[in-house]
Amino acid sequence: MSIHKANVFELAAAAYEMEASVLQGVLTRAQDGSWRVGDVTLDEWLSRYNGHELVLIAASLSEEREYDVQVCQTCGREYVGSTCPYCRSTWRRLRGR
């Protein structure tokens, strides 16, 4: 499943702002069988969280698909994604975020 790139980057930015670990890169399998994202081995990256309860989110930036254009119920602008970027940025600005 692919998600709109702008939404993925927004999710990653929000996670980074909350001081969560964010890892981005191409997922590959090394010859030794270990999984890597870019140059980082997932075993090494995940070892920091041994014994912790986690939520892992994976979003593909590679798959291309058609997205439906929606009309915002508040401002009337057309947008692609889960929320209107204009209203969302205004909402964040007005709340000092």
Side-chain angles (χ1 to χ4, degrees), residues 50-64:
N50 188 28
H52 293 246
E53 183 177 5
L54 296 180
V55 173
L56 296 177
I57 299 172
S60 173
L61 297 174
S62 300
E63 297 175 13
E64 294 295 327

Side-chain angles (χ1 to χ4, degrees), residues 77 84-96:
R77 290 185 172 116
C84 174
Y86 306 102
C87 292
R88 185 159 189 345
S89 66
T90 301
W91 182 88
R92 291 178 61 110
R93 181 178 46 82
L94 291 174
R95 283 159 183 77

Side-chain angles (χ1 to χ4, degrees), residues 3 20 23 31-32 34 43 49-50 66 81 84 88 97:
I3 301 172
L23 187 61
Q31 289 182 352
D32 64 359
S34 64
D43 286 339
Y49 303 105
N50 188 28
E66 293 292 321
C84 174
R88 185 159 189 345
R97 296 181 188 178

Side-chain angles (χ1 to χ4, degrees), residues 31-51:
Q31 289 182 352
D32 64 359
S34 64
W35 288 100
R36 301 177 72 80
V37 174
D39 295 332
V40 178
T41 303
L42 285 180
D43 286 339
E44 294 172 15
W45 190 71
L46 289 171
S47 66
R48 296 183 281 179
Y49 303 105
N50 188 28

Side-chain angles (χ1 to χ4, degrees), residues 73-88:
Q73 298 294 322
T74 304
C75 70
R77 290 185 172 116
E78 292 183 344
Y79 67 95
V80 175
S82 61
T83 59
C84 174
Y86 306 102
C87 292
R88 185 159 189 345

